[in-house]
Amino acid sequence: MNLLGLLGASLKHSFSPVMMNRLARQGDLPFAYFPFEIPAEKLPHFVEAVRLLPISGFNVTIPHKVAILSFLDELTPEVQAVGAVNTVLNRDGKLIGYNTDTAGFLGSVNRLFGKENPPRAALILGSGGAARAVLYTLLKSGTKTVFLSNRREERARKLAEDFGRLFPEKEIVPGPLKAAFLKQALARATLIVQTTSVGMWPHEEEELPFPFEALHPGHKVIDLIYNPEETRFLRDVRKRGAEALNGLPMLIGQAAKSLEIWGFPGLEANLLKIAGDLREKTTPQTLEEKC
Ligand code: NAP
């Protein structure tokens, strides 16, 4: 039996243990998945315990995604670029940090554009942790130009600088979250990725200052939020005829990739089905925590 789990600080409403354990039961898979509620100051003790106990791996969520880096023995190139870990593999006491948000997001891009035709230019709304994973994935998978639009413009500039050093051949254009800059970006970008927390439960009515009139049916949109299923932003872009996905496929994609790293490949479709069943039976609050 493999012991797996989710490392976080407050996991009472987390959806992952329920989903992962149901997956194991239904597929007769040899793992159990525990919530590991660990406050920030106890993180070093938790890592020591993992090295001693037969824990095969764990997911990482708020507030440990960045802090855990310094306790690990090996980091993938994705982690080094994105600066956050959401999956750890314990290989005979050696702890390896991965970021599977990148694979999860790539799955959504491929659904919209096909594997062979990545968008040439994209617009990212937001410049927080999720935007870093999105930017890395786009630049790695063939997008040539990315516009970064953020409320605090200096964060977009900093992100552009960081990734400009890693990808000197690409064009990264930072700017404010304002209509004039967004219109300029929309004239070139075919993919728009909404990575801010605006519109997320319980603040569904919050609005972005987005020039919806500049959209056309050729634009494709991914909103990383999955709770609610359709944000106000998604509803408005769909009204303009843009094809759009919410954050659920990415969430499921990153969970499936974590399972693959732990030795359980090919479970994405099963996870999607279980997530669908659980959504029907849960309140918005129980879906609030990220898997
Ligand atoms: P974060 O690091 O805290 O970044 C939040 C971003 O939202 C920042 O760019 C921030 O702008 C912006 N923002 C917040 N309030 C705003 C407002 N009122 N107006 C304009 N911009 C605002 O958070 P994160 O980790 O990147 O997560 C962002 C979202 O992505 C969350 O909804 C999260 O659930 C979702 N997510 C989904 C997945 C998935 O698998 N689907 C994975 C990761 C994250 P400033 O810099 O100006 O503050």
Side-chain angles (χ1 to χ4, degrees):
M1 174 65 72
N2 289 268
L3 301 187
L4 301 170
L6 173 63
L7 166 66
S10 167
L11 301 173
K12 293 209 176 29
H13 300 297
S14 182
F15 182 51
S16 299
V18 182
M19 182 174 75
M20 292 293 212
N21 287 318
R22 189 172 291 194
L23 179 78
R25 258 198 324 277
Q26 285 183 359
D28 210 9
L29 301 167
F31 72 77
Y33 190 96
F34 294 87
F36 298 124
E37 273 201 8
I38 307 289
E41 68 278 10
K42 293 272 170 64
L43 185 60
H45 304 294
F46 173 78
V47 178
E48 268 318 294
V50 170
R51 289 183 198 278
L52 294 172
L53 296 169
I55 294 175
S56 319
F58 54 94
N59 286 123
V60 187
T61 187
I62 295 164
H64 303 304
K65 285 177 106 168
V66 176
I68 190 114
L69 262 80
S70 59
F71 297 100
L72 303 177
D73 303 306
E74 207 177 299
L75 304 173
T76 62
E78 276 97 340
V79 169
Q80 288 171 27
V82 173
V85 162
N86 75 337
T87 304
V88 174
L89 171 68
N90 183 358
R91 193 189 284 149
D92 305 321
K94 187 174 173 189
L95 301 184
I96 308 167
Y98 295 82
N99 187 307
T100 66
D101 281 338
T102 52
F105 176 68
L106 185 60
S108 290
V109 177
N110 289 345
R111 261 168 90 147
L112 288 175
F113 287 84
K115 258 191 187 156
E116 307 305 324
N117 291 304
R120 281 188 68 80
L123 162 64
I124 299 177
L125 308 176
S127 294
R132 288 186 79 90
V134 165
L135 178 59
Y136 176 82
T137 310
L138 289 173
L139 296 173
K140 257 317 241 203
S141 63
T143 299
K144 307 250 182 288
T145 303
V146 180
F147 295 88
L148 287 175
S149 162
N150 200 47
R151 176 178 61 177
R152 284 183 281 161
E153 192 184 344
E154 68 278 10
R155 271 187 103 184
R157 273 196 253 114
K158 170 80 172 64
L159 195 55
E161 257 172 54
D162 290 353
F163 280 81
R165 278 192 290 275
L166 284 177
F167 296 93
E169 72 288 6
K170 305 276 176 158
E171 184 188 17
I172 309 172
V173 189
L177 190 64
K178 293 205 170 131
F181 177 71
L182 292 170
K183 279 184 185 163
Q184 182 198 330
L186 287 170
R188 286 177 62 198
T190 49
L191 171 66
I192 301 146
V193 191
Q194 197 308 92
T195 79
T196 77
S197 43
V198 174
M200 191 167 89
W201 182 87
H203 304 291
E204 286 109 320
E205 285 314 306
E206 269 181 4
E207 261 185 293
L208 282 166
F210 190 85
F212 292 99
E213 69 281 7
L215 282 174
H216 56 71
H219 283 123
K220 299 187 185 208
V221 177
I222 300 171
D223 190 331
L224 261 48
I225 294 174
Y226 47 85
N227 180 23
E229 257 176 78
E230 188 177 60
T231 57
R232 201 170 165 158
F233 177 74
L234 265 194
R235 193 176 66 219
D236 288 343
V237 297
R238 282 177 174 145
K239 270 191 206 149
R240 298 270 163 180
E243 194 182 346
L245 290 179
N246 72 5
L248 193 64
M250 173 176 170
L251 184 71
I252 297 298
Q254 62 82 25
K257 185 71 190 174
S258 299
L259 284 159
E260 186 185 313
I261 289 167
W262 298 323
F264 300 99
L267 292 168
E268 193 159 343
N270 307 38
L271 279 170
L272 253 181
K273 164 97 183 50
I274 291 170
D277 293 348
L278 286 173
R279 284 187 83 83
E280 281 169 21
K281 296 183 192 111
T282 46
T283 64
Q285 198 182 359
T286 52
L287 283 170
E288 170 57 9
E289 266 289 339
K290 181 183 184 311
C291 282

